[in-house]
């Protein structure tokens, strides 16, 4: 197996897009391609991460459509759909194509245009991820699953609404430093929880989760360009190595898990990624976690191995996960504030780690990072991909 | 017409699973019989969800996960004004959603 490097990375502005889905993905892909110096070399294969183009944007076969829109024929093209973890799954497939020796230059682009439909349609479309007969028919949504999970977690570990708000406040504040983030709005504990207007500013979405505990509905795209590590020096001065990945699945119906607070697929995916990279959680300089709901950042920060069980909220309270802290989490603003265009998310987490490892993260730059960790969480944790990136020599 | 929600009972080892899987999680058998999800249980967790998918006109839905005395867990709608974790509930089957103009029946729980 060959080592694989990321030689180009790019993202569009997240938010409400004026462009079509294909134009969004083409702009991100063009950014990643021109980020490297390809010297006229052609791209061998394209992997596209997307969940809803056929339903929301009237475009099926999105990978073939992107190759056509860009004019990258005759590159091989495949769409990768793994719900909200489509992005990391697509990067994984690109990695395998290069590592196996089958391809040299592989483009991975993730994108979603969710705001082409209204919010109810978007909620409905994402709720298709739940179990059709044991969850969906009851009106279960992803926020509802997260609410039931949050209640269990908060009761078990003494996590409060203030802790959840701390995640939102931190990630909103990080997003203020990220020009491509969807939400650029500073929030305070007073404003979202304690002021007389808090009830109105921050209503319940799925108790105990409130509006500011949930990610927005976003449009956006992100892309990376992969090459064999041994050739990376021809294309870029700052290669970033994909040093580990791991993936695991779990029951689709959340109620069927022996302990619904234990995210087994998160634990297994992370362990596999650390084993492959030959690293321990303490070696990681920064992480992008899948904070579609604030409670998930706390839960994942423990279950991937950064903090002991029941102490994620304490590390958060102490500021350890802030940009200047011991382990910065979601420097990009996370799904919470950078935004969550479903197919783009996993790729954009990796793009943020690339920017950080190259020292190009501007005002949110972490000091001298060496290894970055990303967790992309599909469904409600029934298909999870962990990726570790390492700064190239 | 009487509606039921069925779990699967493994004909080889007796394990009940809900929802059903092709292979028994305990013994790998593919031979199952239907057994109704019914009776009492204990409320494990719940939420009042205000952002609802298509086809609901309600202001909110109360949804929960129940640990059934049958030894399985089930997700369903709660007809309970003030739910609390740990309370005892009773399962029944009733209309839970309209999908494409058709009424879908499923589990509804009330306090006992
Ligand atoms: Zn069996």
């Amino acid at each position: 197996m060959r080592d694989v490097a990321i030689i180009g990375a790019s993202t569009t502005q997240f938010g409400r897009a004026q462009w079509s889905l294909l134009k969004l993905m083409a702009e991100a892909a063009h950014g990643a391609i021109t980020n490297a110096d390809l010297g006229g070399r052609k791209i061998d294969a394209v992997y596209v991460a997307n969940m809803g183009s056929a339903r929301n944007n009237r475009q099926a076969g999105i990978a073939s459509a992107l190759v056509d829109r860009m004019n990258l024929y005759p590159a091989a093209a495949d769409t990768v759909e793994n719900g909200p973890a489509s992005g990391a799954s697509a990067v994984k497939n690109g990695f395998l194509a290069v590592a196996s020796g089958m391809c040299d230059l592989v483009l991975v682009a993730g994108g979603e245009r969710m705001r082409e439909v209204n919010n109810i349609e978007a909620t409905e479309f994402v709720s298709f991820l739940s179990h059709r007969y044991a969850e969906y028919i009851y009106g279960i949504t992803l926020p509802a699953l997260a609410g039931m999970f949050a209640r269990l977690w908060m009761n078990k570990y003494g996590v409060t609404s203030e802790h959840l708000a701390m995640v939102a406040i931190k990630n909103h504040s990080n997003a203020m430093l990220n020009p491509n983030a969807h939400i650029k709005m500073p929030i305070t504990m007073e404003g979202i929880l304690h002021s007389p207007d808090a009830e109105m500013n921050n209503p319940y979405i799925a108790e105990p989760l409130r509006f500011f505990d949930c990610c927005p509905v976003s449009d956006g795209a992100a892309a990376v360009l992969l090459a064999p590590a041994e050739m990376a020096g021809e294309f870029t001065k700052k290669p970033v190595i994909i040093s580990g990945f791991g993936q695991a699945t779990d029951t689709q119906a959340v109620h069927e898990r022996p302990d619904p607070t234990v995210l087994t697929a998160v634990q297994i995916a992370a362990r596999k990624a650390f084993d492959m990279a030959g690293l321990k959680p303490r070696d990681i300089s920064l992480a992008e976690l899948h904070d579609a709901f604030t409670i998930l950042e706390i839960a994942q920060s423990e279950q991937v191995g950064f903090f002991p069980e029941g102490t994620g909220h304490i590390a958060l309270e102490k500021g350890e996960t802030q940009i200047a802290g011991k382990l910065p989490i979601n420097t990009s603003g996370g799904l919470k504030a950078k935004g969550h265009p479903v197919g783009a998310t996993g790729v954009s987490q990796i793009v943020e780690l690339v920017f950080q490892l190259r020292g190009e993260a501007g005002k949110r730059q972490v000091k001298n990072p060496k290894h970055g960790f990303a967790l992309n969480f599909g469904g409600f944790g029934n298909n999870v991909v962990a990726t570790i990136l390492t700064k190239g020599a | 017409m009487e509606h039921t929600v069925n779990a699967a009972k493994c004909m080889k080892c007796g394990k009940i699973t809900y929802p059903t899987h092709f292979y028994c999680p305990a013994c790998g058998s593919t031979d199952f019989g239907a057994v109704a999800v019914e009776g009492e249980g204990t409320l494990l967790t719940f939420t009042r969800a205000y952002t609802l998918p298509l086809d609901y006109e309600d202001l909110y839905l109360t949804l929960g996960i129940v640990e059934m005395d049958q030894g399985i867990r089930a997700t369903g709608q709660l007809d309970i004004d003030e739910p609390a974790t740990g309370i005892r509930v009773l399962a029944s089957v009733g209309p839970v959603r309209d999908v494409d103009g058709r009424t879908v029946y499923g589990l509804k729980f009330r306090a006992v």
Side-chain angles (χ1 to χ4, degrees):
Chain A
M1 220 170 63
R2 304 191 288 184
D3 281 341
V4 178
I6 297 176
I7 58 168
S10 181
T11 176
T12 66
Q13 169 74 49
F14 282 13
R16 182 190 288 275
Q18 305 300 320
W19 295 336
S20 73
L21 174 62
L22 278 176
K23 166 87 167 158
L24 273 172
M25 292 201 294
E27 287 291 341
H30 177 64
I33 291 168
T34 51
N35 202 208
D37 178 11
L38 294 188
R41 284 205 48 162
K42 300 267 271 180
I43 287 167
D44 300 310
V46 179
Y47 289 91
V48 172
N50 173 263
M51 180 175 158
S53 68
R55 178 178 168 93
N56 298 335
N57 318 108
R58 297 167 190 265
Q59 179 68 68
I62 193 75
S64 337
L66 181 65
V67 164
D68 178 76
R69 182 77 167 81
M70 297 195 72
N71 191 356
L72 293 175
Y73 335 100
D78 296 288
T79 303
V80 176
E81 195 270 304
N82 177 15
S86 298
S89 274
V91 173
K92 181 201 78 175
N93 279 282
F95 169 92
L96 292 173
V98 176
S100 68
M102 293 295 288
C103 298
D104 285 338
L105 288 181
V106 172
L107 172 71
V108 184
E112 206 78 48
R113 188 153 181 248
M114 306 181 66
R115 303 195 70 130
E116 193 162 329
V117 297
N118 66 39
N119 263 338
I120 293 177
E121 280 282 354
T123 302
E124 169 75 5
F125 150 71
V126 176
S127 75
F128 291 166
L129 288 162
S130 65
H131 193 288
R132 173 83 196 266
Y133 301 106
E135 295 178 330
Y136 170 81
I137 60 162
Y138 297 105
I140 286 277
T141 58
L142 270 283
L145 291 173
M148 292 195 288
F149 177 87
R151 188 181 302 280
L152 286 171
W153 190 279
M154 291 164 83
N155 288 344
K156 189 170 175 187
Y157 298 116
V159 170
T160 65
S161 300
E162 279 78 6
H163 290 114
L164 301 185
M166 280 176 215
V167 175
I169 292 164
K170 169 178 71 69
N171 293 353
H172 274 239
S173 135
N174 292 353
M176 298 287 290
L177 308 175
N178 180 357
N180 293 309
H182 181 174
I183 310 287
K184 288 171 191 131
M185 176 177 134
I187 51 173
T188 63
M189 189 68 77
E190 171 72 12
I192 65 172
L193 275 190
H194 300 315
S195 79
D197 297 333
E199 215 38 62
M200 209 159 63
N201 295 341
N202 193 18
Y204 281 120
I205 298 295
E207 290 171 6
L209 300 179
R210 295 171 178 274
F211 179 78
F212 282 107
D213 291 311
C214 306
C215 65
V217 176
S218 316
D219 303 333
V224 290
L225 189 61
L226 310 181
E230 69 219 24
M231 293 166 58
E234 296 171 34
F235 308 122
T236 179
K237 290 194 181 70
K238 293 181 186 172
V240 169
I241 307 300
I242 300 179
S243 46
F245 72 79
Q247 182 172 14
T249 50
D250 197 358
T251 68
Q252 189 181 18
V254 172
H255 74 235
E256 225 187 338
R257 299 176 189 168
D259 177 346
T261 60
V262 175
L263 302 167
T264 306
V266 168
Q267 297 179 351
I268 297 174
R271 192 184 332 126
K272 283 183 170 174
F274 283 118
D275 286 351
M276 178 174 161
L279 295 170
K280 299 266 182 257
R282 64 166 179 273
D283 299 320
I284 296 298
S285 320
L286 79 156
E288 288 285 302
L289 300 182
H290 197 108
D291 59 333
F293 306 98
T294 49
I295 186 69
L296 287 180
E297 182 177 305
I298 295 172
Q300 292 165 2
S301 72
E302 296 176 19
Q303 300 204 356
V304 304
F306 293 139
F307 306 117
E309 182 184 346
T311 67
H313 62 292
I314 295 167
L316 169 77
E317 215 174 65
K318 288 186 186 156
E320 289 180 19
T321 58
Q322 292 177 8
I323 290 175
K326 257 194 279 189
L327 178 69
I329 293 179
N330 288 327
T331 55
S332 66
L335 283 63
K336 175 68 201 74
K338 178 190 60 184
H340 183 26
V342 181
T345 288
V347 183
S348 84
Q349 292 178 314
I350 286 167
V351 168
E352 173 68 8
L353 296 181
V354 170
F355 289 167
Q356 289 280 0
L357 292 167
R358 287 172 173 175
E360 295 171 356
K363 288 182 180 161
R364 62 185 192 284
Q365 180 65 47
V366 167
K367 209 172 160 214
N368 295 323
K370 190 147 190 277
H371 305 288
F373 178 96
L375 192 84
N376 199 190
F377 185 85
F380 198 79
N382 65 331
N383 197 335
V384 178
V385 185
T387 310
I388 298 176
L389 303 187
T390 297
K391 187 177 176 173
Chain B
M1 194 185 133
E2 194 66 11
H3 296 274
T4 56
V5 171
N6 286 329
K9 182 171 185 174
C10 177
M11 302 306 273
K12 200 168 154 201
C13 77
K15 184 174 174 68
I16 303 178
T17 49
Y18 176 73
T20 60
H21 302 278
F22 199 88
Y23 298 117
C24 173
C27 75
S29 165
T30 56
D31 192 10
F32 298 95
V35 43
V37 179
E38 61 186 6
E40 294 188 12
T42 305
L43 185 59
L44 178 70
T45 185
F46 65 94
T47 185
R48 232 177 237 152
Y50 293 85
T51 310
L52 302 181
L54 289 179
D55 308 316
Y56 286 102
E57 284 168 14
D58 313 66
L59 177 62
Y60 60 82
L61 278 177
T62 311
L63 302 159
I65 296 177
V66 174
E67 313 215 73
M68 302 297 297
D69 294 348
Q70 290 170 294
I72 50 171
R73 291 202 205 101
T75 301
Q77 294 179 354
L78 310 183
D79 287 329
I80 303 171
D81 288 339
E82 294 295 331
T85 55
I87 63 168
R88 295 287 294 166
V89 297
L90 176 69
S92 65
V93 175
V96 289
R97 185 167 193 167
D98 288 322
V99 176
D100 299 329
R102 188 174 53 91
T103 302
V104 177
Y105 288 79
L107 295 166
K108 296 179 94 101
F109 297 95
R110 60 180 166 82
V112 291

